[in-house]
Amino acid sequence: MTAMFTVRSPADGTPLAEVPEQGPHDVAATAQELREAQTEWEAIGFPGRARWLRRYRDWLLDNETALGKTLQSETGKPWFEATIEVPYVVEVINYYTKNGARFLAEETPRPHNAITMTKRSQVLLRPYPLVGIITPWNFPLALALMDGVPALAAGAAVMVKPSEFTPLVTRQAVAGWAEIGAPPVFACVTGHGPTGAAVVDNVDYVQFTGSTRTGRIIGARAAERLVPFSLELGGKDAMLVLDDADVDRAANAAVWGAMCNSGQMCTSVERVYVLAPVYDDFVAKVVDKVRTLRQGRDDQSYRFDVGSLANENQLAVVERHVEDALNNGAKALTGGKRAEGGTFYEPTVLVDVHHGMTCMREETFGPTLPIMKVDDVDEAVRLANDSSYGLSATVWSTNTARAEQVARRLEAGSVNINDMFTNLFALPVPQAGWKQSGVGFRNGGAAGIRKYCRPQSIVSARVAPRSEPTWYPYSPVKSKMLARVMRFTMARDVLRRLGLR
Ligand code: NAD
């Protein structure tokens, strides 16, 4: 009998559901079924696959509220945030069904040299048969489907392994694929780390989102199997507020960027560097704004802005970072402690912080906002780059050209200027973590779907004599003739072409 595990509400610990702990045999059996269905899925071509994806989009919209409720129950998000993921995924479906045919179009490159002059060359993009997607708990629906959709559109079968903390909405969404009667090329397996490891052992491409620690293990295992992988990992995103910034906008963005999803976003604002002339104004506005935030266990009536953390482990990390900061001389202008009830931590603004503190170096992934005063732009850039992570960053200045110059000096895969998280909604641009924040990228127009494909070259003879000059038997006459023809077509100048030099 398959073992089960309990999924609980992080807001109050109540049990929500029992879910199977699937072992290596279950995962291998699911992989086998997916592989069998994938051949036909690829064969129906992009238009056929796009038709199914569009029907799936309708199902997602028709079940938006039910999906949001499940997602909210297992994540503790406020309703506003629990209802963002379905529209996000629908946009991903719209983007790839609209542009996918063009992104996957076959190419027929022109011959380059004499040997291939009479051949026809084609380059096809054939999918990896089975893509494994392993996801964390912070955006359980969006992170499974923003990668699942382009993989399915490319013609791959997809096996998704959600976090053990939040498997319910992913299971529900994958069940929707079966409910619309789509070919059985999309499956969900549930369990803890070993289930994820079994996914890595059974697929042809691994798409992982999660911590840097797990990403490293997965990358090593995938490399042993010689299967490609893409890792979207942790971050320690910096916000640089220059002396000519619109301080009101920057302060509002900082609070949203740090507290949204209780700070559990890979691209959360994790540290802020503010130039001295606007520092006091910025901090005062941030503190005022944070004090207005309503924290609690939301239902569907938008009563709260900030929810719980996803689990006790995450709460412990936040407590450790804040304690370390306070013990080393930082001040908490708001919060600084856990709140009543489940895994809630009060929105916390920290000042007098420095790079000797854990909160400025390790990923906190909680509702904290450490703010540091800096003398000039060079210091802000130096400190922003003084990190093992390089996911994304933001720059704030009313002089966009100046902000762009700063952005080009940052070691981060994405930079938003005078904006927060907007690159995540810009589907034509890649999201790529630099340094310890990842390997590869997700989304990003054509590249976001082509990553799930292998190029296949087909070169065919348009003229087919009995033999070719390069084939047996070798002879001095043939060799010299060939050399002359090749030299004539390859060399740059007339003398070399004619063999006179
Ligand atoms: P995690 O690494 O603990 O777990 C992620 C997933 O990996 C889970 O499904 C887990 O069961 C699975 N897993 C654990 N051990 C495994 C193993 N040995 N083999 C295969 N799978 C295994 O991460 P988490 O705590 O769930 O998520 C938080 C992290 O995710 C943060 O670091 C955050 O920055 C990161 N994240 C990154 C992005 C991005 O796009 N860069 C987006 C969201 C979250």
Side-chain angles (χ1 to χ4, degrees):
M1 209 177 72
T2 311
M4 306 293 278
F5 66 97
T6 308
V7 182
R8 293 178 185 279
S9 153
D12 61 11
T14 49
L16 298 172
E18 295 287 306
V19 174
E21 180 73 53
Q22 293 181 280
H25 290 300
D26 304 314
V27 173
T30 304
Q32 183 56 32
E33 286 164 17
L34 288 167
R35 282 183 191 284
E36 280 162 20
Q38 185 271 333
T39 317
E40 178 58 23
W41 180 243
E42 183 184 353
I44 65 172
F46 184 82
R49 297 193 294 271
R51 264 196 298 279
W52 282 114
L53 283 164
R54 288 196 196 98
R55 278 187 220 169
Y56 187 51
R57 169 193 61 190
D58 298 343
W59 182 91
L60 288 168
L61 288 171
D62 294 347
N63 291 275
E64 192 175 9
T65 304
L67 290 163
K69 283 183 180 170
T70 307
L71 191 149
Q72 185 181 45
S73 70
E74 60 185 345
T75 58
K77 291 179 197 242
W79 188 236
F80 193 96
E81 292 171 5
T83 49
I84 284 173
E85 298 192 37
V86 167
Y88 187 86
V89 169
V90 165
E91 266 306 79
V92 175
I93 295 178
N94 285 341
Y95 180 71
Y96 278 111
T97 52
K98 186 170 162 206
N99 297 294
R102 185 165 53 88
F103 293 158
L104 297 176
E106 292 178 20
E107 287 179 17
T108 47
R110 286 160 53 90
H112 166 71
N113 54 23
I115 288 191
T116 54
M117 205 57 83
T118 60
K119 319 291 177 193
R120 174 178 148 86
S121 295
Q122 299 168 79
V123 183
L124 283 56
L125 292 173
R126 302 272 315 275
Y128 289 101
L130 181 53
V131 170
I133 296 179
I134 302 173
T135 58
W137 38 257
N138 58 341
F139 290 92
L141 187 68
L143 289 170
L145 291 180
M146 68 196 277
D147 294 308
V149 165
L152 287 167
V158 170
M159 175 155 59
V160 55
K161 204 301 269 178
S163 165
E164 54 274 30
F165 293 104
T166 54
L168 303 181
V169 74
T170 314
R171 283 213 323 167
Q172 193 175 344
V174 174
W177 183 259
E179 209 176 299
I180 61 168
V185 288
F186 191 23
C188 175
V189 289
T190 52
H192 289 67
T195 312
V199 170
V200 179
D201 282 347
N202 279 280
V203 298
D204 308 304
Y205 186 103
V206 184
Q207 168 62 49
F208 173 73
T209 309
S211 64
T212 300
R213 185 182 50 79
T214 310
R216 194 171 279 121
I217 296 169
I218 288 177
R221 180 63 191 146
E224 269 176 34
R225 291 194 57 231
L226 293 181
V227 296
F229 55 86
S230 174
L231 308 174
E232 321 301 327
L233 310 176
K236 190 74 197 164
D237 286 5
M239 173 172 191
L240 288 74
V241 184
L242 308 194
D243 45 1
D244 58 355
D246 174 341
V247 176
D248 285 294
R249 182 171 168 83
N252 285 336
V255 175
W256 185 56
M259 307 305 170
C260 173
N261 208 33
S262 295
Q264 301 166 118
M265 265 183 92
C266 51
T267 50
S268 289
V269 174
E270 288 256 337
R271 50 202 172 109
V272 189
Y273 304 101
V274 189
L275 262 63
V278 290
Y279 175 84
D280 289 339
D281 191 20
F282 178 83
V283 171
K285 285 181 166 140
V286 162
V287 168
D288 280 352
K289 185 84 190 169
V290 169
R291 291 212 170 108
T292 66
L293 296 178
R294 304 159 302 164
Q295 184 177 37
R297 185 184 176 187
D298 208 6
D299 45 25
Q300 282 82 52
S301 54
Y302 304 95
R303 286 189 302 136
F304 293 105
D305 307 303
V306 183
S308 65
L309 288 160
N311 52 58
E312 280 291 340
N313 303 342
Q314 202 47 50
L315 186 84
V317 174
V318 179
E319 282 183 318
R320 179 166 61 80
H321 285 201
V322 175
E323 262 167 45
D324 171 78
L326 298 180
N327 290 340
N328 285 289
K331 276 205 290 289
L333 301 184
T334 64
K337 58 182 193 314
R338 68 185 291 168
E340 294 295 303
T343 51
F344 292 93
Y345 196 89
E346 290 184 3
T348 299
V349 178
L350 295 168
V351 291
D352 298 341
V353 292
H354 56 71
H355 271 218
M357 296 174 181
T358 319
C359 72
M360 297 300 275
R361 307 204 72 89
E362 292 178 18
E363 185 183 46
T364 306
F365 226 54
T368 59
L369 187 57
I371 309 175
M372 188 169 170
K373 191 196 291 189
V374 292
D375 288 335
D376 53 30
V377 171
D378 286 346
E379 189 185 9
V381 170
R382 182 178 60 73
L383 289 168
N385 288 341
D386 177 24
S387 173
S388 57
Y389 292 109
L391 192 54
S392 70
T394 60
V395 182
W396 302 80
S397 163
T398 45
N399 181 341
T400 314
R402 184 183 179 212
E404 273 183 29
Q405 288 307 316
V406 173
R408 287 164 193 269
R409 295 169 64 191
L410 295 176
E411 292 163 13
S414 309
V415 182
N416 286 300
I417 292 175
N418 295 324
D419 231 326
M420 190 55 64
F421 304 144
T422 30
N423 71 301
L424 304 179
F425 296 89
L427 296 178
V429 307
Q431 294 170 34
W434 290 8
K435 304 202 265 187
Q436 304 285 300
S437 290
V439 175
F441 52 86
R442 64 150 55 102
N443 287 347
I449 187 168
R450 288 182 184 156
K451 68 187 265 191
Y452 296 115
C453 298
R454 304 162 293 181
Q456 181 179 44
S457 307
I458 299 180
V459 181
S460 52
R462 283 186 300 178
V463 187
R466 278 184 58 212
S467 184
E468 294 274 345
T470 47
W471 298 0
Y472 295 133
Y474 294 155
S475 75
V477 176
K478 267 169 69 174
S479 175
K480 281 182 190 141
M481 279 272 297
L482 257 179
R484 279 212 187 124
V485 171
M486 306 248 309
R487 181 170 260 271
F488 188 79
T489 56
M490 285 187 317
R492 182 170 59 90
D493 55 297
V494 177
L495 289 180
R496 284 192 183 85
R497 281 186 180 199
L498 297 174
L500 300 175
R501 200 174 146 188

